[in-house]
Amino acid sequence: MTDFASTKALFHLPEGVIYLDGNSLGPLPRAAAARVQHRVQEEWGELLITGWNKAGWMAEPGVLGNRIGRLIGAEPGHVVLGDTLSIKVYQALAAALEMRPERRVILSDSGNFPSDLYMAEGLIKALGRGHELRVVAPQEVAGAITDEVAVTLLTEVDYRTGRLHDMAEITRRAQDAGALTIWDLAHSAGALPVDLVGCGADFAVGCTYKYLNGGPGAPAFIYVAPRHATCAAPALSGWLGHAAPFAFEAAYRPGEGIERMRVGTPPVLAMAALEAALDIWEGVDLTDIRAQSIALGEMFIAEVEVRCPMLTLASPRDPSARGSQVSFQFEHGYAAMQALIAQGVIGDFRAPDLMRFGFAPLYIDTEDVKEAARRLAHVMQNRLWGDPVYQARATVT
Ligand SMILES: Cc1ncc(COP(=O)(O)O)c(C=O)c1O
Ligand SMILES: Nc1c(O)cccc1C(=O)C[C@H](N)C(=O)O
């Protein structure tokens, strides 16, 4: 059984703050600052360029990829880190489309994060072969899998509502129809158990700065199923995905297996912070995370619905149908969230009217949830959101 009181102590959280936004950016693992400092001073400072070999910087995208692989049910040696999630979406999609050259439809849903859809649009333009991005409502995905579909591009957990796709069922249906699947695990990795092997997923991508707590700008990851490892063509054929980067050949040859999904120089400083964050996951059981995340979410919903009748639940009520976040709809949601943040409870707002709260059991406990609901009730009952100071929109929300 995971001891969540011990894991909470491993994070720095500002005094008085209840942090319900780890679904956007996880908090600072206490060990990360010293780990980054060590990398800067002892490795970069003292080893200089020899750090690539002596400190293992060059191999780290695969080493950390394996540690993430354990959390998402991947086979060892089939996850690699690097770049941003948007880039990894592009790579997976380009590889999948190449593997289904006779088909033209990319199937996604309106609950997908816009960047995934934008990357698909950009790739369609770049390919110029008449592909279509077909976007349906989340609940219509299964029915929209036809033999026109080359690939499904879906985020398992809807970033706005927390609605969860049935990964196993959709993967099965897609493959029965001859399509490939790409799963974006941005809101899944570290939030709930994921079983890529069990589901038979073809590709998966995700970020490490949310529930994995790797820090702002932490690198993304990509998974390619072993059966595709030698046929997935890398669209972004950078030198570190080459079979022999240091042979400096004039022409590109894809690297062995997942190595070919590397592009360029790895983010060495960011990986130091991520390494410290992943240490915390070593003793953690994802089934414990799921059970506790459901308990926290259920408690929050119950407390808020009793105290704040003006808020409407926008997430699935059935906890098994949602990820590790809960959203409430409110017309003045932006200002209400700003007022709540001023009370020390950090959640976020997603247009047009959703107040979104993430529950990460590693550092959020039942007392936090009760206190967050109390402060939210204070904001709502006293109509603090009506104060013009909370209406001004910030650049990043
Ligand atoms: C589901 C999903 N996909 C893609 C992205 C984009 O990630 P990045 O900014 O790392 O490219 C995000 C978050 O920003 C996301 O939540
Ligand atoms: N990646 C982000 C960023 O660089 C700035 C602000 C927010 C983000 C996010 O990750 C947003 C997140 N994907 C979401 O679900 O809304």
Side-chain angles (χ1 to χ4, degrees):
M1 186 69 192
T2 307
D3 176 6
F4 290 119
S6 320
T7 59
K8 185 170 186 170
L10 300 174
F11 289 91
H12 168 77
L13 287 160
E15 193 58 40
V17 166
I18 300 174
Y19 193 60
L20 303 183
D21 210 2
N23 50 317
S24 195
L25 174 68
L28 172 69
R30 287 187 190 278
R35 196 72 58 91
V36 172
Q37 195 179 6
H38 180 269
R39 178 144 292 182
V40 169
Q41 288 187 323
E42 305 305 323
E43 298 184 9
W44 179 16
E46 300 303 321
L47 300 176
L48 296 162
I49 197 164
T50 67
W52 288 110
N53 293 318
K54 285 191 183 153
W57 299 340
M58 195 50 93
E60 205 167 18
V63 172
L64 297 185
N66 275 339
R67 294 178 71 184
I68 290 166
R70 185 186 75 79
L71 302 175
I72 55 174
E75 302 88 341
H78 293 277
V79 176
V80 77
L81 290 183
D83 318 295
T84 65
L85 175 50
S86 303
I87 298 288
K88 279 358 218 178
V89 166
Y90 190 94
Q91 284 183 293
L93 190 55
L97 291 179
E98 278 299 314
M99 290 165 65
R100 290 291 178 275
E102 71 292 354
R103 297 190 179 199
R104 286 290 173 274
V105 174
I106 301 164
L107 180 64
S108 192
D109 72 22
S110 53
N112 206 347
F113 192 74
S115 197
D116 292 25
L117 305 178
Y118 303 160
M119 294 312 281
E121 280 179 30
L123 177 60
I124 288 171
K125 270 199 202 127
L127 292 175
R129 299 212 306 260
H131 285 97
E132 176 198 341
L133 174 61
R134 193 170 289 171
V135 179
V136 301
Q139 61 280 9
E140 284 164 11
V141 167
I145 299 172
T146 64
D147 60 10
E148 291 172 292
V149 175
V151 56
T152 59
L153 173 62
L154 298 166
T155 295
E156 188 193 13
V157 179
D158 186 312
Y159 77 104
R160 275 182 297 221
T161 64
R163 181 190 183 279
L164 192 57
H165 274 301
D166 184 338
M167 189 190 288
E169 172 62 10
I170 289 179
T171 301
R172 189 188 60 73
R173 281 198 187 219
Q175 291 173 351
D176 284 353
L180 295 164
T181 53
I182 300 172
W183 288 101
D184 183 334
L185 303 177
H187 301 263
S188 309
L192 69 169
V194 177
D195 184 7
L196 290 177
V197 175
C199 292
D202 297 289
F203 295 86
V205 293
C207 61
T208 61
Y209 48 71
K210 297 181 190 288
Y211 294 95
L212 298 180
N213 312 304
F221 63 84
I222 184 166
Y223 163 82
V224 180
R227 63 186 177 282
H228 303 316
T230 53
C231 53
L236 301 177
S237 39
W239 74 300
L240 287 183
H242 192 282
F246 289 90
F248 303 108
E249 295 168 9
Y252 182 80
R253 284 190 294 126
E256 196 52 41
I258 195 68
E259 286 288 307
R260 66 181 57 189
M261 291 298 159
R262 292 177 65 159
V263 182
T265 304
V268 174
L269 302 186
M271 287 190 301
L274 176 58
E275 185 188 51
L278 291 176
D279 286 350
I280 297 174
W281 286 99
E282 283 305 316
V284 173
D285 184 337
L286 266 299
T287 56
D288 294 343
I289 287 277
R290 181 65 171 154
Q292 184 66 358
S293 134
I294 287 178
L296 297 175
E298 289 291 272
M299 175 182 279
F300 189 68
I301 292 172
E303 295 271 338
V304 171
E305 287 192 325
V306 166
R307 294 158 184 265
C308 310
M310 56 299 267
L311 300 184
T312 308
L313 183 66
S315 297
R317 188 166 290 281
D318 172 4
S320 68
R322 62 171 192 261
S324 198
Q325 64 182 67
V326 169
S327 296
F328 284 95
Q329 204 168 17
F330 179 55
E331 191 189 349
H332 305 286
Y334 179 82
M337 183 54 77
Q338 296 310 305
L340 183 61
I341 291 170
Q343 299 291 318
V345 178
I346 303 183
D348 63 21
F349 169 79
R350 285 293 169 260
D353 55 6
L354 293 183
M355 299 175 74
R356 189 175 70 156
F357 303 90
F359 298 94
L362 289 186
Y363 51 84
I364 294 297
D365 58 26
T366 52
E367 275 316 303
D368 295 325
V369 168
K370 285 186 202 149
E371 180 57 22
R374 270 195 289 273
R375 293 190 205 173
L376 177 57
H378 173 71
V379 166
M380 300 311 297
Q381 286 159 11
N382 295 289
R383 298 171 68 93
L384 298 187
W385 45 268
D387 188 327
V389 77
Y390 299 130
Q391 322 274 327
R393 301 269 174 147
T395 324
V396 176
T397 60

